[in-house]
Amino acid sequence: MTRTIVASATREIVIGFDQPFCVIGERINPTGRKKLAAEMVAGNFETVIKDALEQAACGATMLDVNAGVTSVNPNETEPGLLVQTLEIVQGLVDLPLSIDSSVTAAIEAGLRVAKGRPLVNSVTGEEEKLEAILPLVKKYNVPVVAISNDETGISMDPDVRFAVAKKIVERCADHGIPAHDVVVDPLVMPIGALGDAGRQVFALLRRLREELKVNTTCGLSNISFGLPHRHGINAAFIPMVIGAGMTSAIMNPVRPQEMEAVRGANVLNGTDENCTNWIRTYKDYKPAEGGHPVAAPVAVTAPGDGAAAGGRRRGGREARMARG
């Protein structure tokens, strides 16, 4: 069984088909958040601290950390800021981290200070990126997110996206990086723009699991982009992608509706043994009049338990996909 191991200084998490769904909290990311970007540039990390603690309290399994505050001279500005952000976050929470950047120098700087075994987010199928990132992944013995696009951009053909993923897995093998350390992002398309986007990703996930035997991730709420009541779509999408074989997602773990979908899927998938995490989280749950919850339950998540919710997958990945 494929198992991808990530770790903080003291906690190890396993991403795998037989494990609870791994929720990678997305909120420490200044892309599209002008206030957060301005704070980080000014050396103010109050929102970073708040987001780190809140996501951990809501049940995130890991935290994604991005410091891409500007497209101006990112090779000069981003490495130092990413290091500072990583050090603050890992001083606050005992969760494994995902180092999220499109800047190679920033990824390397982050790897030098990250404790445990972080996830590198990410590499694409572009030759330049493969040659820059894979030696770092091998040197630091860490897993990597493989995004299924290359020099030609993002293909609307799921067979092409599978071929790019296969190419990256093979190139990783050439560098001595095993398939269990490659977490493929098959690229979820917006269902509002592409009517078969759901069916595409379900089929891709099955192929990635059965043929390449790799773990997978995605920017979960890409599926609902442009639609009203996005959280309803996201919540429906979660158990379906988990059923198709997805093992992690970058998402916002403060959304109760999507939280419930993840935890419920873990129960039904058999990865929440004896329904322990569900019972611990919802034992005092009481619906309000009209069926709406009185208040969102606060997760108390045991090590290795996944629980989270949708949001937007942005930042480093968005920059890498811009060419498409």
Side-chain angles (χ1 to χ4, degrees):
M1 188 65 73
T2 301
R3 293 189 165 194
T4 304
I5 296 174
V6 292
S8 64
T10 60
R11 178 186 291 190
E12 181 178 285
I13 297 293
V14 178
I15 303 172
F17 307 120
D18 62 343
Q19 300 295 310
F21 192 67
C22 178
V23 175
I24 306 171
E26 68 165 8
R27 290 192 56 78
I28 303 172
N29 189 329
T31 308
R33 300 177 69 188
K34 292 182 180 180
K35 178 177 179 291
L36 175 59
E39 287 180 0
M40 292 176 72
V41 168
N44 177 355
F45 293 89
E46 289 180 9
T47 301
V48 168
I49 292 168
K50 174 182 175 294
D51 285 344
L53 293 173
E54 184 177 34
Q55 289 182 107
C58 286
T61 319
M62 298 178 59
L63 296 182
D64 190 73
V65 178
N66 182 293
V69 296
T70 177
S71 59
V72 180
N73 297 322
N75 287 309
E76 296 177 11
T77 60
E78 193 166 326
L81 187 57
L82 181 60
V83 165
Q84 191 175 6
T85 308
L86 286 166
E87 289 179 330
I88 288 170
V89 172
Q90 64 189 1
L92 290 169
V93 299
D94 186 25
L95 295 176
L97 302 181
S98 167
I99 300 173
D100 184 359
S101 179
S102 59
V103 178
T104 302
I107 288 176
E108 184 165 20
L111 285 169
R112 285 197 294 265
V113 302
K115 298 176 182 178
R117 196 170 196 252
L119 175 67
V120 168
N121 187 10
S122 58
V123 69
T124 65
E126 299 165 276
E127 288 299 323
E128 181 182 355
K129 286 296 183 183
L130 290 167
E131 291 305 312
I133 300 299
L134 295 188
L136 293 177
V137 172
K138 175 62 176 176
K139 176 181 177 180
Y140 288 93
N141 185 29
V142 292
V144 62
V145 173
I147 298 182
S148 303
N149 70 292
D150 58 15
E151 291 89 349
T152 64
I154 302 169
S155 175
M156 294 298 104
D157 185 341
D159 290 335
V160 173
R161 298 208 298 278
F162 178 84
V164 174
K166 184 177 179 181
K167 169 189 170 181
I168 299 173
V169 171
E170 290 172 347
R171 291 294 294 277
C172 284
D174 292 341
H175 282 79
I177 302 163
H180 64 249
D181 275 339
V182 184
V183 181
V184 172
D185 183 342
L187 294 173
V188 172
M189 302 298 177
I191 193 75
L194 189 67
D196 65 346
R199 294 192 300 272
Q200 277 193 11
V201 76
F202 303 147
L204 259 173
L205 287 168
R206 294 184 186 102
R207 290 191 69 189
L208 290 166
R209 175 173 178 162
E210 293 166 10
E211 297 180 40
L212 297 186
K213 296 178 171 53
V214 291
N215 281 308
T216 45
T217 195
C218 73
L220 185 93
S221 70
N222 287 350
I223 192 68
S224 64
F225 182 79
L227 293 177
H229 187 40
R230 295 182 66 185
H231 303 303
I233 295 292
N234 297 344
F237 187 56
I238 287 165
M240 295 186 77
V241 289
I242 293 175
M246 186 166 278
T247 51
S248 69
I250 298 173
M251 54 207 299
N252 183 350
V254 301
R255 301 291 183 183
Q257 186 175 6
E258 294 152 59
M259 282 271 208
E260 291 173 2
V262 171
R263 295 190 181 106
N266 284 338
V267 169
L268 298 172
N269 207 28
T271 56
D272 181 2
E273 189 174 359
N274 299 320
C275 308
T276 301
N277 193 49
W278 180 272
I279 292 168
R280 181 170 52 241
T281 304
Y282 296 109
K283 60 184 175 63
D284 297 322
Y285 177 87
K286 291 183 176 62
E289 191 174 329
H292 298 290
V294 176
V298 176
V300 182
T301 306
D305 286 343
R312 288 169 291 177
R313 174 75 165 96
R314 303 178 296 200
R317 177 180 180 275
E318 183 175 86
R320 289 184 285 277
M321 292 172 62
R323 298 183 186 86

PDB file of all heavy atoms in Angstrom, residues 27-42:
ATOM      1  N   ARG A  27      -4.674  28.466   4.334  1.00  0.00           N
ATOM      2  CA  ARG A  27      -4.889  29.886   4.585  1.00  0.00           C
ATOM      3  C   ARG A  27      -3.626  30.729   4.751  1.00  0.00           C
ATOM      4  O   ARG A  27      -3.677  31.951   4.634  1.00  0.00           O
ATOM      5  CB  ARG A  27      -5.806  30.070   5.802  1.00  0.00           C
ATOM      6  CG  ARG A  27      -7.243  29.642   5.498  1.00  0.00           C
ATOM      7  CD  ARG A  27      -8.202  30.072   6.570  1.00  0.00           C
ATOM      8  NE  ARG A  27      -8.177  31.496   6.828  1.00  0.00           N
ATOM      9  CZ  ARG A  27      -8.759  32.421   6.056  1.00  0.00           C
ATOM     10  NH1 ARG A  27      -9.388  32.042   4.951  1.00  0.00           N
ATOM     11  NH2 ARG A  27      -8.704  33.691   6.363  1.00  0.00           N
ATOM     12  N   ILE A  28      -2.500  30.122   5.025  1.00  0.00           N
ATOM     13  CA  ILE A  28      -1.275  30.925   5.168  1.00  0.00           C
ATOM     14  C   ILE A  28      -0.719  31.164   3.767  1.00  0.00           C
ATOM     15  O   ILE A  28       0.243  30.535   3.313  1.00  0.00           O
ATOM     16  CB  ILE A  28      -0.258  30.240   6.093  1.00  0.00           C
ATOM     17  CG1 ILE A  28      -0.901  29.975   7.456  1.00  0.00           C
ATOM     18  CG2 ILE A  28       0.982  31.118   6.263  1.00  0.00           C
ATOM     19  CD1 ILE A  28      -0.063  29.149   8.389  1.00  0.00           C
ATOM     20  N   ASN A  29      -1.379  32.078   3.077  1.00  0.00           N
ATOM     21  CA  ASN A  29      -1.084  32.340   1.676  1.00  0.00           C
ATOM     22  C   ASN A  29      -1.551  33.753   1.340  1.00  0.00           C
ATOM     23  O   ASN A  29      -2.750  34.027   1.376  1.00  0.00           O
ATOM     24  CB  ASN A  29      -1.812  31.309   0.804  1.00  0.00           C
ATOM     25  CG  ASN A  29      -1.397  31.377  -0.645  1.00  0.00           C
ATOM     26  OD1 ASN A  29      -1.056  32.436  -1.164  1.00  0.00           O
ATOM     27  ND2 ASN A  29      -1.443  30.233  -1.312  1.00  0.00           N
ATOM     28  N   PRO A  30      -0.641  34.665   1.012  1.00  0.00           N
ATOM     29  CA  PRO A  30      -1.023  36.058   0.763  1.00  0.00           C
ATOM     30  C   PRO A  30      -1.594  36.316  -0.623  1.00  0.00           C
ATOM     31  O   PRO A  30      -2.064  37.422  -0.888  1.00  0.00           O
ATOM     32  CB  PRO A  30       0.296  36.809   0.942  1.00  0.00           C
ATOM     33  CG  PRO A  30       1.338  35.815   0.544  1.00  0.00           C
ATOM     34  CD  PRO A  30       0.823  34.479   1.003  1.00  0.00           C
ATOM     35  N   THR A  31      -1.578  35.320  -1.506  1.00  0.00           N
ATOM     36  CA  THR A  31      -2.092  35.537  -2.852  1.00  0.00           C
ATOM     37  C   THR A  31      -3.587  35.816  -2.801  1.00  0.00           C
ATOM     38  O   THR A  31      -4.365  35.028  -2.279  1.00  0.00           O
ATOM     39  CB  THR A  31      -1.832  34.307  -3.736  1.00  0.00           C
ATOM     40  OG1 THR A  31      -0.451  33.969  -3.657  1.00  0.00           O
ATOM     41  CG2 THR A  31      -2.208  34.580  -5.174  1.00  0.00           C
ATOM     42  N   GLY A  32      -3.995  36.951  -3.337  1.00  0.00           N
ATOM     43  CA  GLY A  32      -5.398  37.321  -3.327  1.00  0.00           C
ATOM     44  C   GLY A  32      -5.875  37.883  -2.000  1.00  0.00           C
ATOM     45  O   GLY A  32      -7.052  38.201  -1.851  1.00  0.00           O
ATOM     46  N   ARG A  33      -4.966  38.011  -1.031  1.00  0.00           N
ATOM     47  CA  ARG A  33      -5.321  38.569   0.276  1.00  0.00           C
ATOM     48  C   ARG A  33      -4.437  39.791   0.519  1.00  0.00           C
ATOM     49  O   ARG A  33      -3.354  39.697   1.088  1.00  0.00           O
ATOM     50  CB  ARG A  33      -5.122  37.526   1.386  1.00  0.00           C
ATOM     51  CG  ARG A  33      -5.966  36.272   1.211  1.00  0.00           C
ATOM     52  CD  ARG A  33      -5.663  35.246   2.297  1.00  0.00           C
ATOM     53  NE  ARG A  33      -6.129  35.690   3.607  1.00  0.00           N
ATOM     54  CZ  ARG A  33      -5.836  35.045   4.738  1.00  0.00           C
ATOM     55  NH1 ARG A  33      -5.089  33.949   4.718  1.00  0.00           N
ATOM     56  NH2 ARG A  33      -6.301  35.479   5.895  1.00  0.00           N
ATOM     57  N   LYS A  34      -4.906  40.945   0.054  1.00  0.00           N
ATOM     58  CA  LYS A  34      -4.079  42.154   0.082  1.00  0.00           C
ATOM     59  C   LYS A  34      -3.652  42.534   1.497  1.00  0.00           C
ATOM     60  O   LYS A  34      -2.521  42.960   1.723  1.00  0.00           O
ATOM     61  CB  LYS A  34      -4.838  43.307  -0.579  1.00  0.00           C
ATOM     62  CG  LYS A  34      -5.031  43.133  -2.073  1.00  0.00           C
ATOM     63  CD  LYS A  34      -5.750  44.339  -2.678  1.00  0.00           C
ATOM     64  CE  LYS A  34      -5.932  44.163  -4.179  1.00  0.00           C
ATOM     65  NZ  LYS A  34      -6.636  45.323  -4.787  1.00  0.00           N
ATOM     66  N   LYS A  35      -4.563  42.374   2.432  1.00  0.00           N
ATOM     67  CA  LYS A  35      -4.248  42.740   3.814  1.00  0.00           C
ATOM     68  C   LYS A  35      -3.136  41.851   4.355  1.00  0.00           C
ATOM     69  O   LYS A  35      -2.180  42.339   4.971  1.00  0.00           O
ATOM     70  CB  LYS A  35      -5.497  42.621   4.682  1.00  0.00           C
ATOM     71  CG  LYS A  35      -5.279  42.937   6.155  1.00  0.00           C
ATOM     72  CD  LYS A  35      -6.596  42.870   6.917  1.00  0.00           C
ATOM     73  CE  LYS A  35      -6.398  43.169   8.402  1.00  0.00           C
ATOM     74  NZ  LYS A  35      -5.662  42.095   9.091  1.00  0.00           N
ATOM     75  N   LEU A  36      -3.243  40.556   4.129  1.00  0.00           N
ATOM     76  CA  LEU A  36      -2.213  39.641   4.613  1.00  0.00           C
ATOM     77  C   LEU A  36      -0.883  39.919   3.931  1.00  0.00           C
ATOM     78  O   LEU A  36       0.160  39.930   4.585  1.00  0.00           O
ATOM     79  CB  LEU A  36      -2.639  38.189   4.376  1.00  0.00           C
ATOM     80  CG  LEU A  36      -1.603  37.114   4.732  1.00  0.00           C
ATOM     81  CD1 LEU A  36      -1.205  37.207   6.205  1.00  0.00           C
ATOM     82  CD2 LEU A  36      -2.145  35.728   4.409  1.00  0.00           C
ATOM     83  N   ALA A  37      -0.904  40.156   2.621  1.00  0.00           N
ATOM     84  CA  ALA A  37       0.339  40.447   1.897  1.00  0.00           C
ATOM     85  C   ALA A  37       1.007  41.699   2.459  1.00  0.00           C
ATOM     86  O   ALA A  37       2.230  41.716   2.689  1.00  0.00           O
ATOM     87  CB  ALA A  37       0.056  40.619   0.413  1.00  0.00           C
ATOM     88  N   ALA A  38       0.218  42.741   2.707  1.00  0.00           N
ATOM     89  CA  ALA A  38       0.778  43.984   3.245  1.00  0.00           C
ATOM     90  C   ALA A  38       1.356  43.765   4.640  1.00  0.00           C
ATOM     91  O   ALA A  38       2.426  44.300   4.978  1.00  0.00           O
ATOM     92  CB  ALA A  38      -0.301  45.067   3.283  1.00  0.00           C
ATOM     93  N   GLU A  39       0.669  42.979   5.447  1.00  0.00           N
ATOM     94  CA  GLU A  39       1.170  42.675   6.795  1.00  0.00           C
ATOM     95  C   GLU A  39       2.521  41.960   6.720  1.00  0.00           C
ATOM     96  O   GLU A  39       3.465  42.310   7.427  1.00  0.00           O
ATOM     97  CB  GLU A  39       0.166  41.806   7.550  1.00  0.00           C
ATOM     98  CG  GLU A  39      -1.083  42.531   8.018  1.00  0.00           C
ATOM     99  CD  GLU A  39      -2.029  41.595   8.754  1.00  0.00           C
ATOM    100  OE1 GLU A  39      -1.703  40.393   8.882  1.00  0.00           O
ATOM    101  OE2 GLU A  39      -3.093  42.060   9.200  1.00  0.00           O
ATOM    102  N   MET A  40       2.599  40.937   5.870  1.00  0.00           N
ATOM    103  CA  MET A  40       3.819  40.150   5.793  1.00  0.00           C
ATOM    104  C   MET A  40       4.991  40.981   5.283  1.00  0.00           C
ATOM    105  O   MET A  40       6.125  40.862   5.784  1.00  0.00           O
ATOM    106  CB  MET A  40       3.592  38.917   4.918  1.00  0.00           C
ATOM    107  CG  MET A  40       2.629  37.911   5.533  1.00  0.00           C
ATOM    108  SD  MET A  40       2.253  36.501   4.461  1.00  0.00           S
ATOM    109  CE  MET A  40       3.811  35.600   4.523  1.00  0.00           C
ATOM    110  N   VAL A  41       4.739  41.829   4.301  1.00  0.00           N
ATOM    111  CA  VAL A  41       5.796  42.709   3.795  1.00  0.00           C
ATOM    112  C   VAL A  41       6.303  43.623   4.907  1.00  0.00           C
ATOM    113  O   VAL A  41       7.505  43.915   5.003  1.00  0.00           O
ATOM    114  CB  VAL A  41       5.277  43.537   2.606  1.00  0.00           C
ATOM    115  CG1 VAL A  41       6.252  44.658   2.261  1.00  0.00           C
ATOM    116  CG2 VAL A  41       5.053  42.646   1.389  1.00  0.00           C
ATOM    117  N   ALA A  42       5.383  44.063   5.762  1.00  0.00           N
ATOM    118  CA  ALA A  42       5.746  44.971   6.854  1.00  0.00           C
ATOM    119  C   ALA A  42       6.313  44.243   8.071  1.00  0.00           C
ATOM    120  O   ALA A  42       6.641  44.873   9.083  1.00  0.00           O
ATOM    121  CB  ALA A  42       4.520  45.782   7.269  1.00  0.00           C
TER     122      ALA A  42
END
